[in-house]
Amino acid sequence: MRLFTAVRWFFRILFKGDAAFAELPGAAPKPVFTGSTEPAVQLLGLLQKEGRLLDFLNEEIDGYGDAEIGAAVRDIHRGCRRVLDKHFQLRPVLEEAEGAAVTLPEDFDPSAVELYGDAGNSGPRKGTVRHRGWYAEETKLPTIPESADPKVAAPAQVEVAS
Amino acid sequence: MSRFTIGIDLGTTNTALAFVDTEVSPDNPEEAMVATLPIDQVVSAGAVDQRPTLPSAVYIAGGQEVPEGALNLPWRSEGRVTIGQFARELGARVPTRYIHSSKSWLCHGGVDREAPILPPNSPEEDAKRSPAEVAAMILRHLAEAWDHNLAGGDPALALTAQEVTLCVPASFDAGARNLTVAAAERAGFKDLHLLEEPQAALYSWIEATGPRWRKETSPGDLVLVVDVGGGTTDFSLIAVSEEDGALALRRLAVGEHILLGGDNMDLAIAYGLSGQLEEERGVKLDAWQMSALVQQCRMAKEELLLNPERASYPISILGRGSAVIGGTIRTELPRAGLDGFLLEGFFPPCGPGDRPARPRRAGFREAGLPYAPDPGITRHLARFLSIHAEQVKETHPDRVAPDGGFALPTAVVFNGGVFKAEPLRRRILETLGEWGAQAGKEAPRMLGSIDLDLAVARGAAYLGLARRGRGIRIRGGSARSYYIGIESAAPAVPGVPPPIKAMCVVPHGMEEGTSVDIGGREIDLCIWTGEPAAFRFLSSTTRRQDKPGDLANVTAEEFEEHNPIETVLGEGEEEGEGRPAEVDLRAELTEIGVLRLACVERGTGKEYQLEFNVRHSGEE
């Protein structure tokens, strides 16, 4: 019997993680952490929060000089970069340097490599890397509170008068 | 004995936890594996992540400002209180519900440290907590995070069941140390020890260097630890000697409590810049922009100090509304400006005879923290090395200037995040080198490198092993001598308080785990039973000659007065029916590292604990 219980719990924990413990009789249920149902909006939110990207893209910039834009972009760049570093593990699709010669196998993945120039129709292809591409090895978006509205990309800010 | 030995650095700005698993550690403690616990904490609404340290920041939600479930922890639901990264973010938005730097308040004798006074000047009564309670809250969070990750439900592996070494500034007085222990006990810790942070830094160096450390030091070395944390600056001198053929370490002296740290530096730069902005362009920053500026100044400071070739660091504070470019305030922190703010402001070149400016005596004092009035860390260092010269002379006569004016270390250990910046380390080493040249001594060397963010916790975890006889221990005993004030018999003069004499109750260097009785005919202490008896309570970091029972004249130079200590004799006896009782005193420095003082009634031998009064004495 003990063995059976152990095996059953083993699989429960394996498949449900900590949520399995929520089924323990008597134990207070542990909070469940869930991802956003609108991950695209969540990403916009992260870029806005750290780098003010939505504000920037929605601002009319024609009236400003390059120096003014440049100054603001430094901070925006820093912030958005933080989001990339924190939530994505990015690597180039091709390890070869730009300008280096590369030979593509016959069964290359056309979604990972775009061909320019003479595409040919079969056999290994020789070419030059013009852009190494980006591959999101891992995406790790933060969880959000269950009660939060997933469509809010950035909350309004109100300074409350005391 | 617990399976793990734990070291906790309960810092002013960041908290860290390190541990040694004694079951996997090899028998050679100098190869002990000290690991740090990545600490689970809420990092954004509804998201928990592990970080190497836990910001010592607490936010107490009013109820509606965060979505439901935003503060949940993996191990329990939480609706109100969050500690760590997200607390800091919320605090920037709602400062009246945000508690930070509570440790600086823990040693502030001018306030009631067990009363809910933080955040100071906040109208939100429900968000207020006492400095002692905040320490307990942070420790409880650590315990929960540990248990969740490592205990697996086994009570024997719970953090509170392990042997824990908790670090405090060397300059913490007995009252602040006792409060820290009380807070940890309230958080459920049972097997506790206190350790001075600069000592922990040296232990960490020993742990990081491994067995090689014995080759890098030699008898006769005098090690200075310069520990500039987020909130405090702490100095210690540790002597290396040879005893029975082995190296021995003894902590000779610790500095006074200097409330000055990395946070002050970021603020100094930010206020300097915002002042410039206002003066030159008439731009006035609001509180939110100011906190953004402080963050950027911290980044600018780190960047410029780490990259000596950079001439300036651009600072832009983005506009408040949705106009990012239109509202952006641009400026830059030039290298000359940083040098001015930091190197000249906090680490000014100075001579060994320079002294920090004395505090101004003002009639009113703001109910804030008693920050050091002089930000010159090098001047505080000059004072420290000078007032302990005589003591150093006894064991290291060759390390004292010919005129006896100041002591010179042979080696320096740096601790604290600000020393990631090489120019700041260099400034200290160069200053000491110059002082050495004046005294005809060689310049001190820097001892290795340690992880400046985690060293204190790591060193404390390492000491846990040493305490089990598996590693070297620094000896030292009480860094301060303690006194009770006794009014001397003098004719009353209106307007002049009767002069007091200080009677030594704890001698300098008194070892942990020992006690001393002060009594006999020479000391005639008599108190009335049934009513509170209070003694004035003083300490000194410089008077080492006093033996228990000795009387000394009180001078502002040598003594620091704390809140009074008090007791009630003859509990239960009706007031007004009191009788005079002759008492002796007993002082005990416990294994944990806390001081216990008691009155012992001569006739009955009954002991009455003298309580450290944490309340504001009202007669500052």
Side-chain angles (χ1 to χ4, degrees):
Chain A
M1 181 64 203
R2 245 199 280 175
L3 184 71
F4 173 72
T5 310
V7 170
R8 195 178 55 177
W9 274 96
F10 174 78
F11 283 104
R12 274 195 195 172
I13 295 165
L14 187 67
F15 292 118
K16 296 185 178 170
D18 276 352
F21 293 108
E23 301 164 19
L24 264 177
K30 289 201 178 159
V32 182
F33 290 81
T34 48
S36 174
T37 51
E38 302 273 355
V41 178
Q42 187 189 14
L43 179 58
L44 284 182
L46 290 169
L47 292 166
Q48 163 68 11
K49 184 180 169 197
E50 297 279 326
R52 305 283 300 271
L53 190 68
L54 296 187
D55 289 342
F56 175 64
L57 295 178
N58 281 301
E59 192 166 6
E60 293 306 327
I61 63 169
D62 291 346
Y64 300 117
D66 288 355
E68 286 168 298
I69 296 176
V73 164
R74 272 186 200 288
D75 226 38
I76 294 165
H77 177 265
R78 197 159 39 218
C80 294
R81 171 77 157 270
R82 246 196 322 263
V83 174
L84 288 189
D85 291 348
K86 221 194 267 175
H87 304 292
F88 298 91
Q89 203 182 323
L90 291 171
R91 63 161 173 84
V93 174
L94 295 178
E95 291 303 325
E96 292 82 359
E98 279 180 18
V102 66
T103 305
L104 295 174
E106 191 172 5
D107 60 341
F108 79 98
D109 176 358
S111 73
V113 180
E114 281 178 356
L115 299 184
Y116 286 75
D118 181 9
N121 43 27
S122 66
R125 294 166 174 83
K126 287 188 194 313
T128 308
V129 178
R130 293 297 175 211
H131 191 294
R132 305 164 75 197
W134 290 112
Y135 189 83
E137 190 85 65
E138 206 181 309
T139 307
K140 221 173 74 187
L141 289 173
T143 52
I144 62 163
E146 268 184 298
S147 69
D149 183 342
K151 292 200 171 168
V152 175
Q157 301 178 339
V158 175
E159 194 162 327
V160 182
S162 51
Chain B
M1 243 186 283
S2 66
R3 173 166 162 192
F4 297 95
T5 66
I6 311 285
I8 296 178
D9 173 12
L10 194 58
T12 311
T13 30
N14 286 299
T15 295
L17 187 152
F19 63 97
V20 178
D21 184 346
T22 59
E23 282 181 13
V24 301
S25 278
D27 282 337
N28 184 353
E30 290 180 352
E31 282 163 9
M33 301 284 287
V34 176
T36 49
L37 175 76
I39 303 166
D40 288 296
Q41 56 197 284
V42 181
V43 294
S44 65
V48 168
D49 201 0
Q50 299 185 327
R51 298 286 152 90
T53 60
L54 176 76
S56 310
V58 177
Y59 184 85
I60 292 149
Q64 273 204 308
E65 71 268 42
V66 287
E68 208 184 313
L71 309 181
N72 278 350
L73 292 161
W75 49 87
R76 64 179 167 83
S77 298
E78 172 60 62
R80 194 114 196 270
V81 177
T82 185
I83 299 173
Q85 188 67 39
F86 191 48
R88 220 175 238 181
E89 188 188 317
L90 287 170
R93 272 152 50 182
V94 187
T96 51
R97 304 193 143 269
Y98 174 54
I99 302 172
H100 63 102
S101 303
S102 63
K103 185 183 178 185
S104 298
W105 293 86
L106 206 56
C107 52
H108 182 4
V111 297
D112 183 347
R113 290 162 281 176
E114 285 184 332
I117 54 167
L118 299 179
N121 308 321
S122 168
E124 316 280 359
E125 289 307 323
D126 68 295
K128 294 212 164 191
R129 299 290 184 274
S130 75
E133 173 60 17
V134 175
M137 289 164 81
I138 294 171
L139 288 170
R140 258 183 234 123
H141 183 99
L142 285 182
E144 290 178 353
W146 169 279
D147 294 353
H148 176 70
N149 285 291
L150 289 163
D154 180 352
L157 296 182
L159 187 69
T160 50
Q162 310 305 309
E163 181 189 328
V164 172
T165 304
L166 196 57
C167 297
V168 290
S171 53
F172 255 27
D173 62 39
R177 292 167 70 108
N178 290 17
L179 270 176
T180 306
V181 167
E185 283 170 349
R186 206 158 47 224
F189 290 83
K190 293 166 199 86
D191 188 359
L192 266 180
H193 297 272
L194 291 183
L195 171 66
E196 294 167 7
E197 286 162 11
Q199 288 191 36
L202 188 65
Y203 281 122
S204 176
W205 173 76
I206 291 172
E207 179 261 321
T209 314
R212 215 159 30 85
W213 80 269
R214 289 174 199 279
K215 298 201 176 72
E216 295 200 12
T217 50
S218 51
D221 261 334
L222 184 63
V223 182
L224 167 71
V225 184
V226 183
D227 182 1
V228 179
T232 48
T233 291
D234 220 359
F235 304 120
S236 286
L237 275 174
I238 295 166
V240 184
S241 62
E242 198 177 310
E243 281 170 29
D244 306 324
L247 284 185
L249 299 171
R250 174 169 286 274
R251 194 262 289 103
L252 294 180
V254 304
E256 297 158 307
H257 197 67
I258 308 170
L259 211 51
L260 183 65
D263 295 353
N264 303 57
M265 299 179 194
D266 301 331
L267 280 176
I269 301 170
Y271 278 103
L273 278 181
S274 77
Q276 264 175 24
L277 281 174
E278 198 174 339
E279 203 172 292
E280 290 165 15
R281 296 186 227 167
V283 181
K284 208 158 168 20
L285 302 181
D286 66 18
W288 179 83
Q289 287 173 317
M290 194 63 207
S291 86
L293 178 62
V294 174
Q295 296 298 332
Q296 290 214 21
C297 286
R298 178 170 302 153
M299 278 159 58
K301 175 188 80 178
E302 284 165 9
E303 189 69 20
L304 285 175
L305 289 172
L306 285 176
N307 301 304
E309 71 284 356
R310 279 197 77 153
S312 70
Y313 188 90
I315 288 189
S316 45
I317 305 148
L318 298 183
R320 186 68 203 265
S322 63
V324 183
I325 304 170
T328 298
I329 301 159
R330 277 175 300 150
T331 183
E332 60 171 22
L333 179 64
R335 173 161 299 281
L338 180 78
D339 287 353
F341 291 132
L342 278 197
L343 282 170
E344 305 315 309
F346 290 91
F347 298 88
C350 71
D354 284 339
R355 296 288 175 268
R358 303 295 301 171
R360 275 171 303 160
R361 291 254 171 252
F364 293 94
R365 197 171 65 188
E366 213 186 324
L369 287 169
Y371 287 110
D374 187 335
I377 287 171
T378 39
R379 283 191 288 268
H380 287 283
L381 181 58
R383 175 175 152 81
F384 172 70
L385 290 176
S386 152
I387 57 183
H388 295 289
E390 203 181 311
Q391 180 183 6
V392 169
K393 208 169 175 177
E394 290 167 15
T395 49
H396 293 65
D398 58 319
R399 298 314 308 167
V400 176
D403 66 355
F406 57 98
L408 262 169
T410 56
V412 181
V413 171
F414 290 103
N415 190 43
V418 301
F419 285 120
K420 282 178 194 159
E422 195 272 338
L424 301 187
R425 298 196 300 263
R426 196 173 60 220
R427 172 56 63 87
I428 295 271
L429 287 172
E430 280 174 1
T431 306
L432 288 168
E434 251 164 60
W435 298 352
Q438 286 180 31
K441 315 271 178 206
E442 80 279 18
R445 64 191 194 278
M446 186 180 121
L447 280 190
S449 58
I450 50 179
D451 184 325
L452 293 168
D453 289 326
L454 301 170
V456 167
R458 297 182 68 98
Y462 172 84
L463 171 63
L465 277 186
R467 206 174 270 124
R468 297 179 183 192
R470 292 161 63 181
I472 188 156
R473 287 183 65 174
I474 304 168
R475 285 166 309 152
S478 177
R480 292 168 183 257
S481 44
Y482 287 94
Y483 305 81
I484 57 169
I486 297 190
E487 279 177 24
S488 52
V493 181
V496 180
I500 65 162
K501 289 223 177 232
M503 186 175 79
C504 181
V505 289
V506 172
H508 183 274
M510 181 168 159
E511 299 274 355
E512 286 170 4
T514 62
S515 65
V516 54
D517 287 299
I518 304 126
R521 259 176 305 144
E522 311 87 69
I523 293 136
D524 247 343
L525 278 180
C526 189
I527 35 189
W528 283 88
T529 59
E531 52 188 274
F535 293 98
R536 290 173 75 170
F537 188 52
L538 305 99
S539 75
S540 171
T541 56
T542 53
R543 295 187 61 95
R544 294 166 301 109
Q545 68 279 27
D546 296 327
K547 286 184 276 305
D550 283 0
L551 288 175
N553 289 319
V554 177
T555 60
E557 261 299 301
E558 286 188 304
F559 287 89
E560 186 184 336
E561 178 152 13
H562 308 282
N563 288 342
I565 48 176
E566 54 190 30
T567 190
V568 179
L569 249 67
E571 224 168 277
E573 289 180 27
E574 289 287 316
E575 199 166 333
E577 287 177 18
R579 57 192 164 80
E582 290 187 314
V583 293
D584 292 329
L585 290 171
R586 175 171 298 153
E588 182 194 3
L589 199 57
T590 66
E591 290 285 357
I592 297 175
V594 305
L595 178 60
R596 292 222 174 91
L597 289 172
C599 289
V600 186
E601 196 177 345
R602 270 188 200 164
T604 62
K606 264 179 97 173
E607 216 176 283
Y608 298 92
Q609 206 67 231
L610 278 160
E611 303 295 341
F612 290 95
N613 191 343
V614 293
R615 274 149 204 97
H616 188 13
S617 62
E619 42 164 340
E620 281 286 299

